[in-house]
Amino acid sequence: MRLSALDKKILNKIQEDIPLVPEPFKALAKDTGVTEEDLFKRIEELKNKGIIRGHAVGINHKILGFKSTLLGLRVLQDKVESLGKELAAYPEITHCFQRKGEFNLWAVFIYKDGRLKEFLDKLGQKIGKENILNLKTLRKFKLKTRLKI
């Protein structure tokens, strides 16, 4: 997809931290050289084209007492799609993706207290505990991704 120079500038700006000022989009518009109204229009167009999925605040779950784990699942090929959709519906699942290999469905699960055990028990009943690889996070090296557009 071809992007205009303005689109690229906007995408690069909004991937960074939005300024904590009374009118953050007015500040972003000024930084990109357009009016606030034009900025909103371009962002809406980029969202409608599927280039922008959404926007949200990034929360440090660890400080709030949450833990995370990467789950590798060995799933029959004809069940990957349905199980992937089922897992993606859980609010604790932040990512769910298919890969080639023995463990062909992967999910990141963020949890608190005994929620992981409860979830794994339920999942184990569905696909078998031997088909679940639980890789708890020990240390985070990178979470933030910025694309130079």
Side-chain angles (χ1 to χ4, degrees):
M1 169 164 288
R2 295 185 73 75
L3 297 171
S4 71
L6 177 59
D7 290 337
K8 291 176 184 179
K9 194 172 189 180
I10 290 170
L11 288 171
N12 286 327
K13 284 284 182 193
I14 65 175
Q15 287 183 86
E16 297 301 321
D17 293 328
I18 303 292
L20 291 175
V21 295
E23 295 178 304
F25 287 97
K26 191 172 275 187
L28 285 171
K30 183 178 179 183
D31 284 350
T32 55
V34 297
T35 66
E36 187 178 25
E37 183 181 335
D38 286 341
L39 177 72
F40 282 133
K41 284 180 185 174
R42 293 304 310 145
I43 289 173
E44 187 65 29
E45 286 178 31
L46 293 166
K47 190 172 180 187
N48 289 338
K49 290 178 181 176
I51 294 169
I52 296 174
R53 286 189 303 211
H55 58 279
V57 171
I59 295 174
N60 186 337
H61 67 275
K62 193 172 182 180
I63 288 177
L64 296 174
F66 289 82
K67 297 176 183 174
S68 63
T69 191
L70 174 65
L71 300 172
L73 309 174
R74 187 184 301 122
V75 183
L76 294 173
Q77 195 58 43
D78 64 336
K79 303 288 186 195
V80 169
E81 180 92 16
S82 62
L83 184 60
K85 286 179 180 178
E86 185 180 326
L87 292 176
Y90 279 85
E92 298 94 341
I93 298 285
T94 62
H95 299 77
C96 187
F97 43 94
Q98 183 179 1
R99 298 267 187 196
K100 290 182 179 178
E102 180 181 355
F103 290 88
N104 53 350
L105 189 61
W106 293 82
V108 176
F109 189 83
I110 296 182
Y111 61 97
K112 205 170 196 180
D113 306 321
R115 182 69 178 122
L116 177 63
K117 181 180 177 348
E118 176 187 322
F119 179 79
L120 290 176
D121 287 347
K122 187 176 179 180
L123 188 58
Q125 290 172 3
K126 184 177 239 28
I127 67 169
K129 290 184 183 208
E130 70 282 1
N131 294 312
I132 300 171
L133 183 61
N134 179 16
L135 304 169
K136 291 182 183 177
T137 301
L138 300 178
R139 186 169 144 209
K140 178 180 78 172
F141 291 95
K142 179 185 176 193
L143 183 61
K144 192 174 183 178
T145 301
R146 298 292 180 252
L147 304 174
K148 182 69 176 163
I149 309 293

